[in-house]
Amino acid sequence: MIDIWFGVFLCFLLAPGSAAEAVRADQIVLVILRGVTGPPVSELRREITRQFDGSSPVKPFIHVVPGDLYVKGAWTLLPLFPKLVELHPNATWLVILQETTRINWTELVDLTQRFDPDKEWFIGRELFDKEPTIVHHFAFHHDPSAFKYPLGETGMLLSWPAVKRVHSRIAGQQLPRDFSIDAQHELAVYLMEGVNMTRSSAFCLRPGPSCATWIQPFKPCGTCVDAGDVFFAVKTWSKFHTDRVPIVQRTWARQAHQLVFFSDVADERIPTISLGVPNTESGHCSKTMAIIDHLHERMASIEPSPRWYVIADDDSIIGVRKLREFLTCHDPSRPLLIGQRYGYASGHNYGYDYITGGGGMVLSRTALRLIAGNCRCPAPDTPDDMWLGACSESLAISIVHFSGFHQARPDDYPMELLQTQFVISFHKHWMLDPVQVYETWFADEDDVSISPPVDDDSGCSVMDPSLHCHVKQQPAELFQSTSIERLPDEL
């Protein structure tokens, strides 16, 4: 009998959750990362507090960022930690959520009981890269699948000792002063010297009986913005007139009612507009600012002018209809710069966020008017997207991130991540078939048939550079200025 009771006692001691005492709600800190055009703070709070009845006097600490708490560069995650340790020195758990994350409070508390809060834990839904990717700076190139990081939209859970580890490292080394791209991956890298991510099936893609969290899918706020309200400016140069441009014409240009190619030379076969700005090997700041000024000059005199302007690369791959659906949730009268957000030293006073160019930069009409005439490039080859971001912040233009825009190829992202997103764009034709990418992700929504690659009755194929055929698009003369002066390179 003594042996039996000893065995029961031993099993109790070794049970997975035995080290954790019942956690009180006020020992849990929830941070909800909200976009600048996201739901109201009160609505995001209500998603959680409605799970508590009036008889519960103890509730978790909830911070909506930005909202009731402002931390510069908070979306990059690391700048949050010093502030949270200062505000909540006696907390037990930190839960980081996106505005699209939904929670089951009871299941979330049950999840915390499975882990000893006095140890360092970093818990989430597991992702990994199947190959080295530029999005993650080609980290772990020898075996990228061995490194696990969380799917941020399902949330992540950190014990307070893990929070303090991050805080201590920041205190000793300061915040990073380089680029931020994927905050979840970068936090996992920051913790990897002492804390590896622990996978939990309680972080779900959709609601279920044992799910602590799940993702609320994006839903458009209307049918579509009018096709005439979206103007596309495609940056190209003469080297790519016979390879990249035909692919754009064959695929997503068919859904663009207003699209013009801007190049270093005028090419009537496409046609293109020359801005009088020589091509540079990188950066392209002068070219982009010339496009913005040119559009402002020509479109300001046309009523009604488009409400949205998209600046894309000639190797961008865009779902036009999905973009028009997405834009129903945004107000073009507000100064907005929309796309995939990157950051440079975002947690520092001199740092800034920007919309990376390859996935497409969407400007509201109001933002276009503010930027035109006010942003001048330090040099012709200054990175145009970075300069646009820095200048936009100085003009109080909101930098709006949406996960459906992508700076890289589909292969550069885990498929499970892409399946949770309302995908709008990809970038690059490198080591893939861009037509196949368009067919897979966008052709059905755009209602475009791109096979066979023939544009007219003559049998002209846009995939044959020796034949000068093109898809109908906005007449170049509508936008052609009689005299386009080169923009000054200085500020």
Side-chain angles (χ1 to χ4, degrees):
M1 180 65 70
I2 293 176
D3 289 342
I4 293 174
W5 281 109
F6 178 78
V8 171
F9 178 68
L10 184 62
C11 288
F12 175 77
L13 287 178
L14 297 178
S18 62
E21 298 179 357
V23 64
R24 297 198 320 268
D26 60 356
Q27 293 176 308
I28 299 178
V29 178
L30 292 99
V31 173
I32 306 172
L33 298 175
R34 171 183 174 269
V36 294
T37 59
V41 172
S42 58
E43 181 180 325
L44 292 171
R45 283 180 166 277
R46 191 161 51 246
E47 279 290 329
I48 297 171
T49 57
R50 64 183 175 80
Q51 300 186 46
F52 295 85
D53 57 37
S55 63
S56 176
V58 180
K59 293 180 173 61
F61 290 99
I62 303 173
H63 295 295
V64 181
V65 185
D68 55 22
L69 181 65
Y70 175 77
V71 177
K72 183 170 174 54
W75 71 270
T76 65
L77 300 181
L78 294 180
L80 284 168
F81 285 79
K83 189 67 175 178
L84 293 174
V85 170
E86 174 191 342
L87 293 174
H88 307 285
N90 300 316
T92 303
W93 292 98
L94 170 63
V95 185
I96 301 177
L97 309 171
Q98 303 290 330
E99 65 180 43
T100 54
T101 314
R102 299 295 177 263
I103 73 167
N104 181 316
W105 176 254
T106 301
E107 292 291 341
L108 183 60
V109 172
D110 286 348
L111 176 62
T112 66
Q113 303 306 306
R114 304 174 200 170
F115 302 93
D116 183 349
D118 293 327
K119 295 182 179 179
E120 295 177 324
W121 295 103
F122 178 37
I123 308 165
R125 184 179 183 89
E126 178 183 274
L127 291 178
F128 60 87
D129 298 329
K130 65 179 182 180
E131 61 184 56
T133 169
I134 191 172
V135 175
H136 296 148
H137 313 289
F138 299 105
F140 312 103
H141 59 276
H142 57 288
D143 184 10
S145 65
F147 181 75
K148 308 301 190 291
Y149 59 98
L151 173 55
E153 284 75 10
T154 60
M156 61 190 85
L157 177 67
L158 294 93
S159 64
W160 217 248
V163 172
K164 288 183 175 178
R165 169 184 283 272
V166 176
H167 175 237
S168 296
R169 183 174 174 187
I170 292 171
Q173 301 179 0
Q174 295 189 331
L175 291 167
R177 299 174 182 270
D178 53 4
F179 292 92
S180 296
I181 298 175
D182 183 348
Q184 291 72 226
H185 187 276
E186 289 150 17
L187 176 59
V189 171
Y190 206 75
L191 278 164
M192 65 176 288
E193 293 182 5
V195 187
N196 290 321
M197 200 202 82
T198 298
R199 177 185 179 276
S200 173
S201 60
F203 295 88
C204 304
L205 299 180
R206 57 190 63 86
S210 59
C211 292
T213 72
W214 61 91
I215 301 172
Q216 178 68 40
F218 171 80
K219 293 182 180 180
C221 305
T223 304
C224 260
V225 301
D226 188 87
D229 263 336
V230 186
F231 176 83
F232 293 87
V234 181
K235 293 183 299 179
T236 187
W237 71 297
S238 49
K239 177 181 178 180
F240 297 130
H241 285 189
T242 58
D243 53 4
R244 292 185 182 180
V245 167
I247 291 172
V248 175
Q249 292 177 316
R250 184 183 171 192
T251 55
W252 60 271
R254 294 176 181 267
Q255 273 290 319
H257 285 213
Q258 300 188 78
L259 182 149
V260 170
F261 290 94
F262 291 91
S263 185
D264 57 322
V265 299
D267 187 340
E268 294 181 358
R269 299 173 302 170
I270 295 173
T272 64
I273 289 178
S274 172
L275 294 166
V277 177
N279 191 69
T280 56
E281 288 296 320
S282 61
H284 312 298
C285 189
S286 287
K287 178 187 287 187
T288 298
M289 292 307 167
I291 290 172
I292 290 173
D293 282 0
H294 186 56
L295 292 178
H296 179 251
E297 173 194 348
R298 305 313 301 169
M299 298 304 291
S301 61
I302 298 175
E303 290 296 338
S305 61
R307 299 182 180 184
W308 298 102
Y309 297 83
V310 183
I311 300 177
D313 290 350
D314 53 12
D315 58 350
S316 299
I317 306 169
I318 297 175
V320 175
R321 182 173 180 84
K322 294 183 82 171
L323 173 62
R324 289 169 53 208
E325 290 176 343
F326 162 74
L327 289 175
T328 61
C329 296
H330 295 85
D331 181 359
S333 68
R334 295 183 59 184
L336 304 176
L337 176 57
I338 305 173
Q340 184 180 23
R341 173 191 55 204
Y342 281 14
Y344 177 72
S346 295
H348 295 273
N349 290 333
Y350 59 85
Y352 56 90
D353 300 334
Y354 63 97
I355 297 301
T356 183
M361 299 182 289
V362 183
L363 294 86
S364 65
R365 181 166 55 193
T366 307
L368 184 81
R369 287 171 176 165
L370 283 171
I371 293 172
N374 288 315
C375 297
R376 286 293 174 264
C377 302
D381 59 353
T382 296
D384 55 351
D385 49 6
M386 295 181 69
W387 182 246
L388 260 183
C391 188
S392 293
E393 286 198 2
S394 72
L395 296 170
I397 295 172
S398 296
I399 307 293
V400 181
H401 171 74
F402 185 69
S403 61
F405 294 86
H406 298 91
Q407 170 67 10
R409 310 162 304 156
D411 288 349
D412 290 311
Y413 306 92
M415 182 54 65
E416 183 172 85
L417 173 65
L418 294 177
Q419 289 172 344
T420 70
Q421 297 175 340
F422 188 81
V423 176
I424 291 174
S425 69
F426 291 109
H427 180 224
K428 294 292 184 187
H429 296 175
W430 179 64
M431 294 185 67
L432 52 70
D433 178 357
V435 175
Q436 183 62 49
V437 171
Y438 180 80
E439 284 185 321
T440 300
W441 291 94
F442 306 123
D444 287 346
E445 288 83 357
D446 280 357
D447 194 25
V448 169
S449 174
I450 56 177
S451 181
V454 173
D455 288 304
D456 55 37
D457 295 336
S458 68
C460 176
S461 169
V462 296
M463 297 305 289
D464 185 348
S466 66
L467 301 174
H468 306 321
C469 43
H470 61 84
V471 177
K472 290 182 180 180
Q473 59 200 52
Q474 199 71 18
E477 58 267 19
L478 178 62
F479 301 93
Q480 187 69 62
S481 175
T482 55
S483 175
I484 303 175
E485 295 181 359
R486 183 181 179 187
L487 290 175
D489 296 330
E490 68 276 1
L491 276 170

